[in-house]
Amino acid sequence: MPSTYQLSHLDALEAESIYIMREVAAEFERPVLLFSGGKDSVVVLHLALKAFYPCKLPFPVMHVDTGHNFAEVIEFRDRTVEAIGARLVVASVQDSIDAGRVVEQTGARASRNLLQTTTLLDAMEEHGFDAAFGGARRDEEKARAKERVYSFRDEFGQWDPKAQRPELWSLYNGRHRRGEHIRVFPISNWTELDIWQYVKSERIDLPSIYFAHERRVFERDGMLLADTEFVTQLDGEEIFTERVRFRTVGDASCTGAVESDADTLDKVIEEVAATRITERGATRADDRVSEAAMEDRKKEGYF
C-alpha cells in the first residue's frame, strides 16, 4: 500500500502563507515586507525566507519607526536583518514630524502610534511599493477580522470595509492602478496560539521581551506600562518592579505588559492557550479609544 502524508495544522497554514507570498512576488512589481521585530512580523519574515529559499528575499523589509521603541526590539530588528542580508528601509515618524507632515501629541497620554499612518503612506509613495506584506491576523481585533488576505487601498491609502474583493477558492485579485496598492496578510488565518506553536516548531528567535522578566512598570487604565523616557506618569501613578512579559510589541507609550512567569516557549504556549482575551485587547491602549478605534485608523491607511 502506498503511504500517504497528511499535513498537520501548522503545515497547512505554512503552505497557505507561502503560496500567498509567492503569488505576490509573481504578480506585483515592487512589494515590501513590513517588519517591526514583533512576533507576527518575525513569523512572516521566516515564511518569506522559506518561500524563496535558497534565493535571498526578492523584496526589502520596512520598519515604520515611531522612535518610541523598546530597545530590545530595535536591537533584534537590526541583528535579524543583518543576518539574512536583507535591505532595510526605515520610515521614521520623527522625520514626518520634522517635515511638518504630522503634529506630535503632547501630555502624559501622548503617543506616536497614530502618526504612523502618514509615515507609512509617504514611504509607500516615495519607494513606489505596490504591495506591502503585513503580520495582521483576523483573531486580533474586530476590524482585522473583516479584512481580506489581499486588502485593496485606494490612491489615498484608504481602506473601505464595504468594498472588498471576494477570495473564493484562494484566488486573489491584485488588480490596481498606479498610485493604489494592496496590503497582503499571509497569516490572516493564524491565531496567536498558532504563532507560538510555529515559533517553537521552527525554532524561531524572538525579542526577549516576549518572555517573563523583571521590569519597572506602573499601572494605568488597567494596564502595566513600562517605565520609559517616552511616558510621563500621572499624579498617583507609582513605579514598581514586576515580573512581566509583552504579548505584542508596539510604541512603548501605548503597549502594556502582562504579569507572567512564562519565561520559556512551553510556558508561553500554555499561557496563551488558557487566555480568552486577545493580545491587542489586553495590552494596547490605542485600541481602547473607542469600539471602532482600529477600524477608523485602518480606513485612513493604518496597518
Side-chain angles (χ1 to χ4, degrees):
M1 294 286 293
S3 61
T4 59
Y5 175 73
Q6 186 172 359
L7 289 177
S8 70
H9 175 60
L10 291 180
D11 288 337
L13 287 173
E14 179 190 73
E16 178 188 53
S17 299
I18 287 176
Y19 165 73
I20 291 167
M21 301 189 89
R22 288 173 175 168
E23 285 289 296
V24 171
E27 187 174 0
F28 292 84
E29 293 183 6
R30 296 182 64 83
V32 66
L33 190 152
L34 301 178
F35 182 69
S36 65
K39 67 182 187 307
D40 297 316
S41 68
V42 171
V43 167
V44 172
L45 179 61
H46 180 82
L47 290 164
L49 292 171
K50 293 191 77 169
F52 302 105
Y53 181 83
C55 299
K56 289 187 175 183
L57 289 183
F59 39 74
V61 299
M62 179 167 71
H63 181 206
V64 181
D65 183 3
T66 66
H68 290 177
N69 303 285
F70 294 99
E72 301 96 320
V73 178
I74 294 300
E75 184 277 330
F76 177 87
R77 179 201 72 182
D78 294 340
R79 172 164 49 86
T80 300
V81 171
E82 181 179 2
I84 65 175
R87 174 191 166 207
L88 174 64
V89 176
V90 177
S92 170
V93 170
Q94 183 62 58
D95 289 347
S96 297
I97 295 171
D98 294 342
R101 294 284 294 151
V102 293
V103 178
E104 186 162 19
Q105 298 176 353
T106 59
R109 295 181 181 272
S111 171
R112 289 185 174 185
N113 197 57
L114 299 179
L115 307 184
Q116 294 179 86
T117 297
T118 298
T119 305
L120 169 62
L121 295 178
D122 286 349
M124 293 290 293
E125 181 178 3
E126 176 185 352
H127 296 279
F129 296 134
D130 55 0
F133 292 107
R137 309 186 324 269
R138 290 194 177 110
D139 75 321
E140 287 183 89
E141 201 275 338
K142 291 181 293 185
R144 286 183 167 170
K146 297 179 180 180
E147 202 152 29
R148 300 286 195 264
V149 173
Y150 272 35
S151 178
F152 173 77
R153 305 301 171 105
D154 65 19
E155 64 271 26
F156 303 106
Q158 297 177 333
W159 171 66
D160 183 354
K162 297 181 180 180
Q164 298 194 76
R165 299 168 178 178
E167 294 180 340
L168 304 175
W169 306 293
S170 298
L171 296 176
Y172 304 110
N173 182 356
R175 179 173 52 83
H176 63 284
R177 295 188 292 265
R178 184 175 297 277
E180 301 168 340
H181 69 273
I182 304 289
R183 306 280 174 85
V184 184
F185 304 110
I187 60 171
S188 284
N189 294 326
W190 297 51
T191 66
E192 184 184 8
L193 184 58
D194 292 331
I195 292 292
W196 281 105
Q197 290 175 333
Y198 188 73
V199 165
K200 179 182 178 181
S201 68
E202 295 287 301
R203 300 180 180 179
I204 300 173
D205 189 24
L206 289 177
S208 60
I209 67 172
Y210 278 111
F211 301 93
H213 58 284
E214 299 285 333
R215 186 177 288 265
R216 286 165 53 85
V217 297
F218 64 94
E219 186 172 353
R220 176 182 293 175
D221 301 330
M223 294 192 308
L224 296 178
L225 293 177
D227 175 26
T228 71
E229 61 183 300
F230 312 123
V231 185
T232 301
Q233 284 77 52
L234 298 169
D235 291 340
E237 293 178 338
E238 297 183 359
I239 296 173
F240 57 95
T241 299
E242 185 63 79
R243 187 165 175 79
V244 300
R245 75 177 191 88
F246 291 84
R247 290 178 63 189
T248 181
V249 167
D251 191 298
S253 65
C254 62
T255 303
V258 294
E259 295 181 42
S260 175
D261 289 317
D263 54 4
T264 67
L265 279 172
D266 286 332
K267 290 180 180 179
V268 171
I269 290 171
E270 182 179 351
E271 185 177 273
V272 171
T275 188
R276 293 296 177 267
I277 303 176
T278 68
E279 63 264 50
R280 292 194 69 94
T283 63
R284 292 298 289 267
D286 51 324
D287 289 341
R288 299 184 177 191
V289 176
S290 71
E291 283 291 321
M294 171 64 83
E295 183 164 328
D296 291 341
R297 296 202 305 276
K298 290 181 74 65
K299 287 179 181 178
E300 295 174 356
Y302 191 74
F303 306 109

